[in-house]
Amino acid sequence: MTERGTTGPQIHRTVADLRRALAAERTGGRRIALVPTMGALHEGHLSLVRKGFALADAVVVSIFVNPTQFAPHEDFDAYPRTEASDVDKLAAFGVGHVFAPSAREMYPDGFCTAVSLGGPALGLETDFRPHFFSGVAVVVAKLLLAVLPDVAVFGEKDYQQLLVIRQLVRDLNMPVEIVGAPTLRETDGLAMSSRNAYLDPQARRTAATLYATLADTAARLAADPGDLAALDDGCRRLEQAGFRVDYLALRDAATLAPLEAASDRPRRLLVAAWLGQTRLIDNIPA
Amino acid sequence: MTERGTTGPQIHRTVADLRRALAAERTGGRRIALVPTMGALHEGHLSLVRKGFALADAVVVSIFVNPTQFAPHEDFDAYPRTEASDVDKLAAFGVGHVFAPSAREMYPDGFCTAVSLGGPALGLETDFRPHFFSGVAVVVAKLLLAVLPDVAVFGEKDYQQLLVIRQLVRDLNMPVEIVGAPTLRETDGLAMSSRNAYLDPQARRTAATLYATLADTAARLAADPGDLAALDDGCRRLEQAGFRVDYLALRDAATLAPLEAASDRPRRLLVAAWLGQTRLIDNIPA
């Protein structure tokens, strides 16, 4: 089930094939990094791959559009699938192994394990996508345990997801270091995302307001940490630009807990908002 | 945090210490077996250790009375804790490593991950101890991922637990082989269990009826596979002996699903019943 082009990465479709290939990679104490993706790779993903190579000798990229983290009404069917061009991009980076299993390989008949978290999984995305982190927790656990990398790299663009995964790994004693990598942005500030491809030219122009609002709100909060009216103003600005806002929230950067008054712990400003049928998320320190 | 007597096993209190010690054990491809226990070791546990040595070069025994698999009204506080004599027994077997963490090491502040299963976890124990397998799934996941053994050995005495753990390991891609080992019995047939220590002499004599009933019921079912009245008769016999029966059930041996008529798949007869304040379980093929 392992495929290989003349120069590109090996493509593994089963956990068994993947493990066989990685056993050879591990000889001599070589370190392995995993970069989990849903494919539709853009520069943001490639920066995670670059980070993987900085931290390990070999990089495995998984490509799997995980059905269990989409609700029935969400964009699972529409989510872009571009495996051939994804593999070409990874070949150019010297990635040796792609793990691209079928849904059946990941969730065979009889599959019946659920994982759920409190803590950083509470609120924010969970208020709007209640199944999301349970789906993420299971698939990330499976990917981490299939690959058993020394380190796995996740983008800060999905900041709540990054904290949930750190917590999952810590709670279950998974022997993997989780590393977050900074969000890459287009020249107008929009965070790179596979879902940006859904935006028509006009929506794409409007989308820049998301980051601009985050940046301006964070600047106001930097000037006056207690100026929480900045959040209301940010929401209003997004709505006036044509967004439907799920949340624009200021949270403890380490735990995502609502802020206690007079705390000087690092904070994070997080946003999720819709432009038409496209849901965008972003976050920055604040 | 690692302790060691002059000849006995190393006793590790933290995952970090355990991992450091096991990294050395693994050199040269030596295989490691894990035998998870709640301590109060008896011959049944020691047979699992023996099985571990048959399957691997080094055996790690974990001793941890896991609070999360006991409901508030259950016997967590009363559960026997005999670490010193447990360690002596393991020393005599040449066990090199004991992992005996504190509850705080396993469940530090902020711990918030839950694992639950359907499939083999449905019914039987779950009908009477609804939290049980969630507690077991988390602690076994943590122990397996802390040790990362090649193989882990569990007793068939806890048959439903064994199937739940197999399913968990399969579902999450844990790189561990799960091996079941046969139940050891006292001369009158009673399955060895740490909880047998709760029984006063009279209850201990009565307890033998549990296995006798299983054996006689299985014999009737062997003579006539459709003779399900044998289950009612078995229940009645246990009640007449003084048991309060939670269940006496015949299930598919591989899935624990209720049996379909006319199936010739292997079956398992499982029982849980109370003698006074002591809950006993047992099972045999049928």
Side-chain angles (χ1 to χ4, degrees):
Chain A
M1 301 279 281
T2 292
E3 306 153 30
R4 178 162 216 169
T6 42
T7 57
Q10 292 180 41
I11 301 173
H12 309 289
R13 303 291 179 189
T14 68
V15 174
D17 287 335
L18 174 72
R19 285 197 174 133
R20 231 182 329 264
L22 294 184
E25 284 295 349
R26 261 184 258 275
T27 55
R30 278 165 55 87
R31 283 168 58 86
I32 292 179
L34 171 65
V35 178
T37 80
M38 298 208 301
L41 302 183
H42 51 65
E43 283 298 320
H45 296 109
L46 298 175
S47 77
L48 306 183
V49 172
R50 215 173 281 120
K51 183 89 161 184
F53 275 114
L55 297 166
D57 303 294
V59 173
V60 179
V61 174
S62 63
I63 297 178
F64 182 60
V65 185
N66 176 36
T68 72
Q69 70 195 60
F70 291 78
H73 61 278
E74 291 181 343
D75 60 342
F76 174 71
D77 289 329
Y79 198 89
R81 287 159 173 88
T82 58
E83 186 182 295
S85 79
D86 291 344
V87 169
D88 285 347
K89 289 174 186 167
L90 297 172
F93 268 75
V95 168
H97 300 274
V98 169
F99 180 47
S102 66
R104 195 176 179 78
E105 170 72 6
M106 294 294 271
Y107 304 110
D109 284 348
F111 183 94
C112 64
T113 297
V115 178
S116 59
L117 284 89
L122 299 177
L124 301 173
E125 287 299 293
T126 299
D127 287 341
F128 297 91
R129 307 182 70 191
H131 300 91
F132 180 63
F133 286 121
S134 300
V136 166
V138 166
V139 79
V140 169
K142 287 182 67 86
L143 292 170
L144 291 175
L145 295 173
V147 175
L148 273 191
D150 299 277
V151 57
V153 187
F154 292 85
E156 288 183 354
K157 153 74 158 40
D158 298 283
Y159 190 81
Q160 188 177 14
Q161 172 178 281
L162 172 62
L163 295 200
V164 168
I165 290 165
R166 272 195 214 286
Q167 185 75 45
L168 171 73
V169 163
R170 189 185 309 133
D171 281 357
L172 293 189
N173 296 340
M174 292 192 189
V176 182
E177 181 191 359
I178 302 299
V179 169
T183 303
L184 256 62
R185 301 185 178 283
E186 306 290 352
T187 49
D188 63 358
L190 179 66
M192 291 188 187
S193 164
S194 305
R195 288 191 170 100
N196 294 350
Y198 297 155
L199 300 169
D200 64 34
Q202 188 194 328
R204 174 63 193 81
R205 280 190 299 276
T206 305
T209 306
L210 197 68
Y211 177 68
T213 303
L214 276 185
D216 292 346
T217 305
R220 271 181 65 178
L221 288 163
D224 176 1
D227 179 14
L228 298 185
L231 296 171
D232 292 333
D233 292 344
C235 260
R236 215 168 1 250
R237 176 175 170 190
L238 289 170
E239 284 163 4
Q240 281 164 1
F243 285 91
R244 181 161 60 81
V245 180
D246 278 352
Y247 58 82
L248 171 65
L250 187 65
R251 294 293 185 97
D252 184 299
T255 66
L256 291 187
L259 294 166
E260 294 173 27
S263 160
D264 59 354
R265 294 165 54 92
R267 304 188 297 184
R268 198 95 186 173
L269 184 63
L270 305 101
V271 68
W274 293 82
L275 263 185
Q277 299 303 306
T278 303
R279 188 173 185 273
L280 300 174
I281 64 174
D282 200 351
N283 66 88
I284 59 175
Chain B
M1 300 280 281
T2 292
E3 306 152 29
R4 176 161 219 171
T6 43
T7 57
Q10 293 180 43
I11 302 174
H12 309 288
R13 303 291 179 188
T14 68
V15 173
D17 286 337
L18 174 73
R19 285 197 175 134
R20 227 174 341 256
L22 293 184
E25 284 294 350
R26 261 184 258 273
T27 54
R30 278 165 54 88
R31 283 168 58 86
I32 292 179
L34 170 65
V35 178
T37 82
M38 299 209 299
L41 301 183
H42 50 64
E43 283 298 320
H45 296 109
L46 298 176
S47 76
L48 306 184
V49 172
R50 214 173 283 121
K51 183 87 160 187
F53 275 114
L55 297 166
D57 303 293
V59 173
V60 179
V61 174
S62 63
I63 298 178
F64 182 61
V65 185
N66 175 37
T68 71
Q69 71 194 62
F70 292 80
H73 62 278
E74 291 182 343
D75 60 342
F76 174 70
D77 289 330
Y79 199 88
R81 288 159 172 89
T82 59
E83 184 182 298
S85 80
D86 291 344
V87 169
D88 286 347
K89 288 173 186 166
L90 297 173
F93 269 76
V95 168
H97 300 273
V98 169
F99 180 46
S102 64
R104 197 178 177 75
E105 170 72 6
M106 294 294 272
Y107 304 108
D109 285 349
F111 184 95
C112 64
T113 297
V115 179
S116 60
L117 285 89
L122 299 176
L124 301 173
E125 288 299 293
T126 299
D127 287 341
F128 298 90
R129 308 182 71 190
H131 301 92
F132 180 62
F133 286 121
S134 299
V136 166
V138 166
V139 79
V140 170
K142 287 182 67 86
L143 292 169
L144 291 175
L145 295 174
V147 175
L148 273 192
D150 298 278
V151 57
V153 187
F154 293 84
E156 288 184 353
K157 155 77 158 38
D158 299 281
Y159 189 80
Q160 189 176 13
Q161 172 178 282
L162 172 62
L163 294 201
V164 168
I165 290 166
R166 274 194 213 286
Q167 185 75 45
L168 171 72
V169 163
R170 190 183 310 134
D171 281 358
L172 294 190
N173 296 340
M174 292 192 189
V176 182
E177 182 189 358
I178 301 299
V179 169
T183 304
L184 255 62
R185 301 183 178 282
E186 307 290 352
T187 48
D188 63 358
L190 179 65
M192 290 189 188
S193 164
S194 305
R195 289 191 169 99
N196 294 350
Y198 297 155
L199 301 170
D200 66 31
Q202 190 194 328
R204 174 62 192 80
R205 281 190 298 275
T206 304
T209 307
L210 197 67
Y211 176 68
T213 302
L214 276 185
D216 293 347
T217 306
R220 270 181 65 178
L221 289 164
D224 176 2
D227 179 13
L228 299 185
L231 296 171
D232 292 333
D233 292 344
C235 260
R236 217 169 359 251
R237 176 175 170 190
L238 288 171
E239 284 162 2
Q240 281 164 2
F243 285 91
R244 182 161 60 80
V245 179
D246 277 353
Y247 58 81
L248 173 64
L250 187 65
R251 294 291 184 99
D252 184 300
T255 65
L256 292 186
L259 294 164
E260 293 172 27
S263 160
D264 59 355
R265 292 164 56 91
R267 304 187 297 184
R268 199 93 185 177
L269 183 63
L270 305 101
V271 69
W274 294 82
L275 264 185
Q277 299 302 307
T278 303
R279 189 172 186 274
L280 301 173
I281 64 173
D282 200 352
N283 66 88
I284 60 175

